[in-house]
Amino acid sequence: MLSRAAGGTERALGVLSIVALFVVLAAGAVVGIPAALGCVVLLAALALVLRWRWFHLRAPGRRPHTKTEEWLSFFTPVALAIPGLRLLWNNPADLAGGLMSAAVPTAVLACYLMLRWRR
């Protein structure tokens, strides 16, 4: 049966991942960190996003990905380019711009996780 629901620990880690992703990307975009540190932040964000996909692909008893979930899992790493440009080129944004650039990949990851958690 492929209908095992997500546990409380998985959901808590998902919410923590979403909050951490948003805070780190927004802070990095607003503060204007050096390019080397921006690369590290961007690679860590990419690793977090890909880790959730790999977890759901290998989790036993889970249903296969729908087309929407596949699309979101592809678009999440692509959406990291929005704050990634500010991180890699050391181009700090104002607070609103930093929050908006961090909100796009965070919202896509949140949608992906919520779709995976539904029964």
Side-chain angles (χ1 to χ4, degrees):
M1 177 181 267
L2 297 175
S3 62
R4 195 183 94 194
T9 304
E10 179 184 339
R11 291 176 194 255
L13 286 174
V15 170
L16 182 64
S17 296
I18 291 167
V19 170
L21 182 68
F22 179 74
V23 168
V24 169
L25 290 177
V30 170
V31 173
I33 58 178
L37 186 56
C39 288
V40 172
V41 168
L42 194 56
L43 286 175
L46 181 63
L48 175 74
V49 167
L50 293 178
R51 180 66 184 118
W52 275 110
R53 173 160 170 73
W54 293 331
F55 171 76
H56 286 121
L57 287 174
R58 292 189 309 233
R62 297 290 175 94
R63 61 178 172 72
H65 281 72
T66 63
K67 289 186 186 232
T68 304
E69 293 164 350
E70 283 289 334
W71 183 83
L72 286 172
S73 68
F74 169 77
F75 187 65
T76 306
V78 173
L80 285 173
I82 297 169
L85 292 174
R86 296 197 183 279
L87 294 171
L88 293 179
W89 298 111
N90 193 13
N91 184 14
D94 59 341
L95 182 60
L99 293 176
M100 290 302 293
S101 68
V104 175
T106 304
V108 177
L109 177 63
C111 290
Y112 170 74
L113 290 176
M114 285 190 283
L115 285 175
R116 286 303 299 166
W117 291 340
R118 68 184 166 95
R119 283 190 150 226

